[in-house]
Amino acid sequence: MKIIEKTKKHDNIIMLIFIGIAVCAVAFWVKSEANDELWNFSNIYKMVNGYTIYKDTNVIITPLFFYIGEIFFKIVGANYLTGRILGALIFISMFFSIYQLFKVLNIRKLNSMLYVLGIMVAYQENIMSIGAYNQLAIIFYILGIIFLIKSKYKPTINSIIQGIIIFLIFLSKQNLAVYYIIANIICKIITNKNQIVKHTIIELTTSFILLVLFLFTLYLNNNLYEFINYTVLGITDFADKNTVMPVVNIIAILLQVALLISYLIIAKIKKIPFEEKIRKNIKTMTIFSILIIFFAYPILNVFHINSEAILTIITTLYIIDNIIVETLLKSKKTDIIKKVAIVAMLIYFIIKGTNNNINYINMMDKEEGPYYGAIFLEETKQEINEIVEFIKTENSKGIDVKIVSYHANLYMNILKKNNGIMDLPFNGNMGKDGANGVINQIKSLQNSKVLITKEKDDIYQESTQIREYIQNNMKLIGEISQFLIYK
């Protein structure tokens, strides 16, 4: 009995440990390559080495993740292992915030533990540091819902807190802040909250004041235009050229929307014996779940769909818990089954984590430098060394080398160099001037060699316009590894 009481009393600590075990089981054993992990790491690494976000690097999202990363790298060390630890901490925080949301929704602690671990089993392929800034934004999104559903403070204080949360969501990922504001206002209207206009004004005013202070700081650092250029002015170009909508994924989104609409209908059916508070919570959760779906636009891939679908899963589990679990299935026997399921999932993550992390320790790069903790294939390591030596040799002759490719940072990190937009020439990542701006930079190069990949990019959003300009207007003088060399 004492153990049970202590578990109930210290459930947050216990759940943090459970979540930590699950996240660390899968967060590190990930192959390193030219993807989001490299690009996010490289931007933070450049900041640590004295470069300025936006001014020197073409980051297209708002900067909180990168600010946190810069501080973390300076304290712990700037390498891939540190980056993966940071990603793991963000994922741990996200799943812990989900646990807190379940509790605020008055779901029993045992059920909440079961649901969170179940989500983690289903979600494990997405637990990686690659796009952790998305999860950082979702943490604040969930935190805002928690304060909206249940808060101990007075209405005015609650509105100020909501304003702060809106700003933090914006600072994590700008588009999600817009969806949160819309969801928040709709929830106020449909739940008949008193003084809707007053509290909305307080929330928006609070977030606006914080936004002005943030923008003024950028202005003082001569970085305001660059911030607006990449995070706002390039958005249209990003959406126009990067929209990826596979039919299967569109169908998945439509089914999700249909499911959520059915939840709003369920909340209105009086024959279903819900308490009024539960009906209100269903409406709130459903509205926020619908709005966060837009988070997946315009790149409607599996990772983005899984990220936004977490709110739909939480809402679904909340409804199932109230209709079935806590009515038809509530008994000592089912509680025992739940505990066994929790233990089974923990054992699964412990076994998987032991295997993965032993492999990770054996396979990870242990050489001091930015890639300490990375897992590169041997041929990738050899290629990195070959290109780095090529650049060093050319530089010693007074010749500059520009790699116009999303692979560029693989080599720039070793050299501690930065070529701005050319290091990640993606459509939508080049500000208002787009590809023409990069082409103008290339035109102005003197005594330089430019490298592009032999094969045209068909995976990401690399600009074909820039590639074609180089091929049609520069002289091909050779090749090295996966690159063609132009002068």
Side-chain angles (χ1 to χ4, degrees):
M1 288 297 291
K2 287 184 178 180
I3 294 175
I4 294 172
E5 290 303 316
K6 284 184 179 181
T7 301
K8 290 179 180 178
K9 186 177 180 181
H10 302 291
D11 66 292
N12 285 332
I13 296 172
I14 291 168
M15 199 57 196
L16 264 176
I17 294 170
F18 287 176
I19 292 171
I21 290 170
V23 168
C24 292
V26 294
F28 298 97
W29 180 236
V30 181
K31 186 177 76 171
S32 304
E33 53 190 356
N35 56 21
D36 277 11
E37 181 179 30
L38 171 70
W39 308 324
N40 292 329
F41 170 84
S42 300
N43 285 323
I44 299 171
Y45 191 66
K46 289 174 181 179
M47 291 166 70
V48 172
N49 287 315
Y51 294 103
T52 303
I53 190 172
Y54 306 119
K55 187 183 290 184
D56 299 316
T57 63
N58 54 327
V59 174
I60 63 169
I61 61 167
T62 38
L64 185 58
F65 171 77
F66 299 95
Y67 288 159
I68 293 171
E70 182 183 15
I71 294 168
F72 195 72
F73 277 27
K74 285 180 177 178
I75 293 171
V76 183
N79 55 56
Y80 253 53
L81 176 59
T82 304
R84 291 189 172 183
I85 291 171
L86 175 61
L89 290 173
I90 290 173
F91 273 97
I92 288 168
S93 300
M94 185 187 75
F95 288 113
F96 187 68
S97 69
I98 292 172
Y99 178 66
Q100 297 304 316
L101 177 56
F102 277 132
K103 291 206 300 180
V104 163
L105 290 167
N106 289 321
I107 293 178
R108 284 201 298 148
K109 292 176 182 179
L110 178 64
N111 294 357
S112 297
M113 288 181 176
L114 179 68
Y115 298 154
V116 171
L117 288 173
I119 290 171
M120 294 184 77
V121 169
Y123 198 74
Q124 59 186 297
E125 294 300 320
N126 290 89
I127 300 174
M128 58 186 79
S129 62
I130 284 177
Y133 58 83
N134 290 303
Q135 277 58 47
L136 182 65
I138 290 170
I139 288 169
F140 292 120
Y141 195 91
I142 291 172
L143 191 63
I145 298 172
I146 288 172
F147 275 98
L148 197 66
I149 291 173
K150 186 176 182 180
S151 179
K152 299 175 183 177
Y153 304 105
K154 293 179 180 179
T156 301
I157 301 298
N158 285 337
S159 296
I160 292 172
I161 290 172
Q162 284 294 321
I164 294 170
I165 288 171
I166 289 169
F167 174 69
L168 290 173
I169 296 172
F170 169 81
L171 214 58
S172 302
K173 198 166 186 186
Q174 60 270 45
N175 61 344
L176 192 58
V178 176
Y179 309 144
Y180 183 88
I181 291 169
I182 296 170
N184 196 353
I185 292 171
I186 293 173
C187 282
K188 284 184 174 68
I189 294 170
I190 67 171
T191 55
N192 298 316
K193 185 176 180 180
N194 295 326
Q195 298 180 308
I196 295 172
V197 176
K198 174 187 172 183
H199 293 302
T200 301
I201 290 173
I202 293 172
E203 289 170 10
L204 296 180
T205 301
T206 301
S207 57
F208 180 74
I209 290 170
L210 292 171
L211 176 61
V212 169
L213 290 173
F214 166 66
L215 295 177
F216 185 65
T217 302
L218 291 174
Y219 172 76
L220 291 177
N221 290 297
N222 297 314
N223 202 16
L224 179 59
Y225 172 77
E226 286 78 5
F227 167 77
I228 295 172
N229 186 35
Y230 286 120
T231 62
V232 179
L233 301 181
I235 286 177
T236 304
D237 189 43
F238 186 90
D240 286 346
K241 296 179 179 177
N242 295 335
T243 302
V244 179
M245 293 190 175
V247 175
V248 174
N249 293 354
I250 293 173
I251 293 170
I253 290 291
L254 292 175
L255 289 173
Q256 190 180 338
V257 171
L259 185 67
L260 290 167
I261 291 172
S262 73
Y263 293 163
L264 289 176
I265 295 170
I266 287 171
K268 283 195 168 188
I269 297 174
K270 296 298 181 182
K271 290 182 179 180
I272 300 176
F274 283 141
E275 295 177 17
E276 195 55 40
K277 187 176 181 180
I278 294 173
R279 293 184 192 280
K280 181 180 175 182
N281 288 344
I282 292 173
K283 292 176 185 176
T284 299
M285 288 298 304
T286 302
I287 294 300
F288 276 95
S289 297
I290 290 172
L291 265 297
I292 202 175
I293 289 174
F294 293 99
F295 183 69
Y297 178 83
I299 303 177
L300 212 66
N301 59 22
V302 173
F303 181 81
H304 287 103
I305 291 175
N306 286 346
S307 294
E308 59 79 12
I310 275 189
L311 263 292
T312 300
I313 293 168
I314 294 168
T315 306
T316 302
L317 289 170
Y318 178 62
I319 293 172
I320 291 172
D321 188 86
N322 280 284
I323 292 179
I324 301 172
V325 178
E326 285 301 290
T327 52
L328 304 178
L329 301 177
K330 190 175 182 180
S331 68
K332 289 183 179 180
K333 286 184 179 180
T334 53
D335 281 355
I336 292 171
I337 293 171
K338 291 172 193 173
K339 290 171 185 176
V340 170
I342 289 171
V343 171
M345 285 188 281
L346 282 172
I347 291 171
Y348 165 77
F349 279 119
I350 289 169
I351 293 171
K352 185 166 187 173
T354 301
N355 181 62
N356 283 352
N357 290 320
I358 288 173
N359 288 332
Y360 175 63
I361 292 168
N362 290 334
M363 293 282 292
M364 77 176 202
D365 195 319
K366 298 179 178 68
E367 185 177 341
E368 286 299 320
Y371 296 133
Y372 180 85
I375 306 176
F376 285 118
L377 296 174
E378 194 58 40
E379 53 264 37
T380 305
K381 290 181 185 179
Q382 291 173 3
E383 189 211 39
I384 291 173
N385 291 333
E386 183 182 6
I387 301 298
V388 166
E389 287 305 312
F390 170 78
I391 294 172
K392 286 180 178 178
T393 301
E394 294 300 310
N395 288 169
S396 69
K397 300 175 187 175
I399 299 172
D400 195 11
V401 177
K402 305 292 186 185
I403 302 177
V404 185
S405 166
Y406 66 82
H407 294 87
N409 280 314
L410 284 170
Y411 324 106
M412 296 305 111
N413 290 333
I414 298 289
L415 297 164
K416 294 187 177 179
K417 289 191 171 206
N418 174 47
N419 292 311
I421 300 174
M422 294 186 198
D423 288 345
L424 194 62
F426 280 175
N427 292 314
N429 281 57
M430 296 179 280
K432 71 177 182 66
D433 294 329
N436 290 327
V438 180
I439 290 171
N440 288 332
Q441 288 183 27
I442 294 170
K443 286 180 181 178
S444 67
L445 293 177
Q446 293 183 357
N447 202 27
S448 301
K449 291 181 179 178
V450 175
L451 276 60
I452 61 172
T453 54
K454 294 175 183 176
E455 301 296 328
K456 181 181 175 182
D457 167 44
D458 59 357
I459 301 174
Y460 298 110
Q461 306 97 40
E462 201 165 274
S463 171
T464 55
Q465 184 181 342
I466 297 171
R467 180 183 180 85
E468 289 170 1
Y469 174 82
I470 293 169
Q471 290 175 320
N472 295 333
N473 294 277
M474 300 181 76
K475 183 180 179 182
L476 177 64
I477 60 171
E479 59 181 61
I480 181 172
S481 186
Q482 64 172 320
F483 296 103
L484 300 172
I485 306 171
Y486 285 84
K487 186 172 182 176

